[in-house]
Amino acid sequence: MRNKIKSLLKKRKAIMLAHNYQPPEIQDLADLCGDSLELSIKASQTDAEVILFCGVSFMAETASVLSPHKTVLLPRKDAGCPMADMVTSEELKAKLAELPPMPVVTYVNSSAAVKALSTICCTSANALDIVNSLDEKELIMVPDRNLALNTASRTDKKIHIWDGYCPIHNDLTPEDVIIAKREHPDAVFMAHPECPPYIIDMADVALSTSGMIRYAMESKSRSFIVGTEIGLLYPLQKANPDKFFYPASLNMECSDMKKITLEDVVRSLEFMEGEVKVPEDIQRPALKAVQRMIDLSQQLGSGLKVQGSRLKGD
Ligand code: 13P
Ligand code: SF4
């Protein structure tokens, strides 16, 4: 199966991108595994003809927005993101009509249609930098209320908060963290900014998924409690074979991120199945918001090679 995928990737002049939460066998085959920011940057820079995206639908849509002349394949069309579904373009338009004019900062975990209504996008690696880069003192962040609250507590800007959330991160409880800390008293607790503020308050650092991998590599600590989707344990352990990683809760599993199998990848490449194409009237305005984020991130140095901005540092 692996050899077949490798030769199909060559035949299609395709690049395979995988999010850090994807199953190990998918990550092992990918040309690049990363967090949302790294994958967006790669999707904007590749000269491959086909982008095979192993992640969820908003990620493949973002790749199509950034590379409209390339074919983007999502091997499972039903791999979605419940948080992204918590805001539609109609709902956002209605909300904006109620508010005075202000910038819209949209988390990449959103549809292309919502991005098209936005001033600028952000990821968990650059949210604070993006918000602070704006001239305006007041803005709205969609759709993740936890990312917005965690950003609001670290800036003097007034942030209007959309009431969306990631069910996987939102359900992590203080009790889960207390138990994990009791079992591993010397471990550093790393939490994802999609977790609620009361979890971030209990954390030593709040980082994107790739930020956690780099942090663990650079840290002198040998053990870590991981407050994000459990798929991240695989790349964490791979990059740090001598260190120890413990999930903050075994319930933190995103079923959408586990849908793509090697068989799906073969089928998608063989029959060019699962194409994701964003219509031009949405692609153009969405591109402005995503490209603005990428340009600013690279300017600020929170791109591929560095840690990413921390919402909470040690
Ligand atoms: P990052 O990898 O950008 O931290 O995103 C986490 C996530 O929930 C993606 O769905
Ligand atoms: Fe969406 Fe959360 Fe799954 Fe990421 S982990 S795809 S934010 S539901």
Side-chain angles (χ1 to χ4, degrees):
M1 190 83 78
R2 279 159 200 266
N3 288 340
K4 193 163 187 184
I5 291 172
K6 280 185 189 156
S7 72
L8 280 167
L9 285 167
K10 222 179 201 171
K11 180 177 160 197
R12 297 291 187 200
K13 297 193 174 63
I15 186 172
M16 179 170 168
L17 304 182
H19 186 266
N20 287 326
Y21 295 156
Q22 286 290 296
E25 63 278 13
I26 299 281
Q27 294 200 32
D28 284 345
L29 270 173
D31 295 291
L32 178 83
C33 297
D35 66 7
S36 306
L37 179 60
E38 292 167 335
L39 295 171
S40 302
I41 293 172
K42 189 72 187 169
S44 71
Q45 291 173 343
T46 179
D47 51 15
E49 286 174 16
V50 173
I51 300 174
L52 179 92
F53 215 115
C54 294
V56 293
S57 57
F58 75 79
M59 296 178 171
E61 269 197 354
T62 306
S64 168
V65 162
L66 286 161
S67 294
H69 304 300
K70 296 188 193 302
T71 304
V72 178
L73 300 175
L74 177 67
R76 281 287 293 264
K77 279 261 195 185
D78 59 341
C81 168
M83 167 156 56
D85 294 341
M86 290 180 192
V87 57
T88 64
S89 56
E90 289 73 28
E91 289 165 342
L92 180 56
K93 268 184 212 161
K95 182 72 193 170
L96 294 178
E98 286 170 16
L99 294 170
M102 66 180 70
V104 181
V105 177
T106 296
Y107 193 29
V108 283
N109 298 36
S110 55
S111 68
V114 167
K115 290 184 178 78
L117 297 174
S118 311
T119 315
I120 188 163
C121 287
C122 72
T123 73
S124 60
N126 60 21
L128 189 60
D129 285 342
I130 298 285
V131 164
N132 284 338
S133 76
L134 298 167
D135 292 334
E136 292 85 348
K137 291 265 168 276
E138 198 172 339
L139 59 125
I140 177 168
M141 279 181 87
V142 292
D144 187 5
R145 69 168 182 236
N146 290 327
L147 182 68
L149 286 165
N150 291 325
T151 306
S153 63
R154 286 162 184 90
T155 179
D156 53 9
K157 307 233 176 200
K158 179 173 178 194
I159 302 183
H160 296 258
I161 291 166
W162 193 270
D163 198 21
Y165 57 89
C166 163
I168 287 82
H169 290 86
N170 195 59
D171 283 358
L172 182 64
T173 65
E175 291 70 32
D176 292 327
V177 178
I178 290 166
I179 292 169
K181 285 189 174 197
R182 201 181 296 142
E183 283 173 6
H184 311 289
D186 298 329
V188 171
F189 174 37
M190 307 188 289
H192 194 278
E194 288 175 18
C195 292
Y198 48 81
I199 298 289
I200 300 298
D201 287 346
M202 298 171 85
D204 297 300
V205 283
L207 295 162
S208 77
T209 56
S210 289
M212 288 186 192
I213 297 172
R214 285 187 285 265
Y215 182 84
M217 285 169 79
E218 288 163 15
S219 170
K220 286 192 180 72
S221 304
R222 289 185 46 77
S223 61
F224 303 83
I225 297 165
V226 183
T228 193
E229 208 274 342
I230 54 173
L232 190 70
L233 292 168
Y234 178 68
L236 274 169
Q237 195 68 71
K238 202 173 165 181
N240 300 278
D242 301 332
K243 297 189 176 181
F244 299 90
F245 299 96
Y246 309 103
S249 160
L250 279 170
N251 294 332
M252 295 185 82
E253 183 170 22
C254 174
S255 54
D256 284 278
M257 279 286 182
K258 309 299 174 213
K259 282 190 175 150
I260 298 174
T261 64
L262 294 181
E263 287 82 357
D264 296 324
V265 172
V266 170
R267 208 184 39 254
S268 181
L269 284 169
E270 222 163 23
F271 305 108
M272 297 301 275
E273 223 179 82
E275 185 174 353
V276 174
K277 179 103 192 117
V278 175
E280 207 183 326
D281 58 325
I282 293 176
Q283 183 268 334
R284 279 174 184 267
L287 177 63
K288 276 192 192 158
V290 182
Q291 194 63 54
R292 247 186 110 179
M293 167 190 82
I294 291 177
D295 293 346
L296 198 81
S297 272
Q298 290 186 321
Q299 221 172 296
L300 294 168
S302 53
L304 279 174
K305 291 189 191 66
V306 292
Q307 188 92 21
S309 69
R310 291 180 188 173
L311 286 174
K312 181 176 182 176
D314 60 350

